[in-house]
Amino acid sequence: MGASQYIEFKKQRELGDILTDTFGFIRNEFKPFFSALLKIVGPYLLVMLVSLGFYFYAFGDILNFATITAESQVFSPLIMIFALFSFVISSVLVYAVSYGSVLSYIQSYVENKGETDFNAIKKQVYAKFWPIVGLGFLVFLSVFVGLLFCFIPGIYLAVPLSISFSMLIFQNKNASDAYSESFSLVKDNWWITFATLFVVYIIIYVASLAFSLPAVIYTWAKMGIFSGEMDATSMNAFADPIYLALNILSQMIQFLMNIILLVATALIYFNLNEKKNFTGTYERIGNIGKSSD
């Protein structure tokens, strides 16, 4: 990779720079980056998508009033519960492995000045799997409880905790240390971090919404909402192959949007770390000294 394409993570950035470098990194590293993700996350993602399709099919089977029998009233809900459980478990696996893969890839990219080591990335992903799951549980529980208390505490907690995964990988912290120290890193820059995350979330939300609209429009059309002639039997659209395909595509797009968010949060972490610790600045000064020798 040429020097002109290398993106320096360890430096301070404004909001616009974070957005530009997020998409710049993905554009420059598109082939090796997504190739690594496909190799590591791909099998888990496939299981998640199959589980999602299975769940929608089972749910549609329950809503298919024309085929309800005494046996299906018992059997179909059990199948749906199993499908939902499979989807939840596979989703946890996908997001834990994808968090580890994206951040480990960036770490390898930073440490090797634009080059990456796939074997080292894969090794770290599995080494950090359970810490990521544990940290994810802590983050979810904290934000969920915070949102229950007048919503604002949840927003306050979500901002520092969004970079806790970066601290876990880049600083090799355990889950509890990454959780607690994320508050210290964001302490003096909460508002600018919130503003940056808010803008990134809006961009990702709008993009995700645009890709989910075809499934919504198709469902409404099949149910007769646009014509004003709703039919209860049309609720089995959930088992419709086109509906399933559109929703699986929508889930894929949400996964890709989450990848963009992870890259942005990594850049936010390095920005905050540079403001507080000047790590990249000291490294560049040291490199100048070495080059002069």
Side-chain angles (χ1 to χ4, degrees), residues 139 143 152-163 183 190 197 201:
V139 170
V143 174
I152 295 177
I155 299 297
Y156 174 79
L157 292 171
V159 172
L161 292 178
S162 66
I163 65 165
F183 291 92
W190 190 92
L197 287 170
Y201 271 117

Side-chain angles (χ1 to χ4, degrees), residues 37-67:
L37 288 180
L38 184 63
K39 291 176 182 177
I40 299 174
V41 188
Y44 302 96
L45 182 61
L46 179 61
V47 172
M48 186 189 78
L49 294 177
V50 170
S51 299
L52 177 65
F54 185 35
Y55 170 72
F56 275 120
Y57 185 84
F59 188 62
D61 195 40
I62 289 178
L63 294 177
N64 189 354
F65 301 104
T67 61

Side-chain angles (χ1 to χ4, degrees), residues 198-225:
F198 182 75
V199 172
V200 174
Y201 271 117
I202 290 296
I203 293 172
I204 290 175
Y205 174 77
V206 171
S208 299
L209 187 63
F211 283 103
S212 66
L213 277 178
V216 175
I217 293 173
Y218 178 81
T219 304
W220 286 355
K222 184 154 187 176
M223 291 173 62
I225 291 178

Side-chain angles (χ1 to χ4, degrees), residues 5-264:
Q5 291 182 306
Y6 175 68
I7 293 177
E8 178 62 66
F9 275 74
K10 295 182 178 180
K11 71 176 188 178
Q12 297 186 35
R13 286 176 167 85
E14 301 297 330
L15 171 58
D17 297 325
I18 289 175
L19 294 175
T20 300
D21 287 345
T22 294
F23 291 101
F25 173 79
I26 293 174
R27 181 179 63 252
N28 294 344
E29 291 291 302
F30 187 87
K31 185 175 180 180
F33 182 52
F34 283 100
S35 175
L37 288 180
L38 184 63
K39 291 176 182 177
I40 299 174
V41 188
Y44 302 96
L45 182 61
L46 179 61
V47 172
M48 186 189 78
L49 294 177
V50 170
S51 299
L52 177 65
F54 185 35
Y55 170 72
F56 275 120
Y57 185 84
F59 188 62
D61 195 40
I62 289 178
L63 294 177
N64 189 354
F65 301 104
T67 61
I68 288 181
T69 63
E71 181 180 348
S72 68
Q73 285 179 333
V74 176
F75 186 67
S76 294
L78 292 176
I79 291 294
M80 190 187 73
I81 291 172
F82 173 76
L84 178 60
F85 179 77
S86 300
F87 175 66
V88 171
I89 296 299
S90 60
S91 296
V92 171
L93 292 174
V94 165
Y95 282 95
V97 174
S98 63
Y99 270 53
S101 298
V102 172
L103 297 176
S104 296
Y105 185 97
I106 292 174
Q107 183 182 44
S108 182
Y109 176 90
V110 170
E111 290 178 348
N112 298 295
K113 300 299 180 182
E115 300 296 329
T116 55
D117 183 345
F118 175 77
N119 291 327
I121 293 169
K122 186 176 181 180
K123 182 179 180 180
Q124 176 158 272
V125 168
Y126 291 112
K128 290 291 186 179
F129 176 81
W130 287 113
I132 289 175
V133 172
L135 180 58
F137 176 76
L138 288 174
V139 170
F140 172 79
L141 186 62
S142 300
V143 174
F144 178 75
V145 172
L147 291 174
L148 293 179
F149 291 94
C150 301
F151 197 77
I152 295 177
I155 299 297
Y156 174 79
L157 292 171
V159 172
L161 292 178
S162 66
I163 65 165
S164 60
F165 295 96
S166 292
M167 298 190 74
L168 185 144
I169 298 295
F170 301 137
Q171 294 188 13
N172 196 28
K173 302 284 187 183
N174 58 41
S176 59
D177 287 344
Y179 179 95
S180 59
E181 293 183 26
S182 63
F183 291 92
S184 175
L185 189 61
V186 176
K187 181 180 178 182
D188 298 324
N189 294 278
W190 190 92
W191 281 107
I192 186 61
T193 305
F194 168 76
T196 305
L197 287 170
F198 182 75
V199 172
V200 174
Y201 271 117
I202 290 296
I203 293 172
I204 290 175
Y205 174 77
V206 171
S208 299
L209 187 63
F211 283 103
S212 66
L213 277 178
V216 175
I217 293 173
Y218 178 81
T219 304
W220 286 355
K222 184 154 187 176
M223 291 173 62
I225 291 178
F226 294 128
S227 64
E229 299 176 356
M230 291 187 64
D231 181 4
T233 60
S234 67
M235 289 294 290
N236 65 0
F238 287 98
D240 186 296
I242 297 177
Y243 177 83
L244 291 176
L246 290 173
N247 273 279
I248 289 173
L249 176 62
S250 176
Q251 192 69 32
M252 278 288 296
I253 297 300
Q254 289 181 24
F255 172 77
L256 294 176
M257 293 299 106
N258 189 63
I259 298 303
I260 296 173
L261 177 61
L262 280 173
V263 175

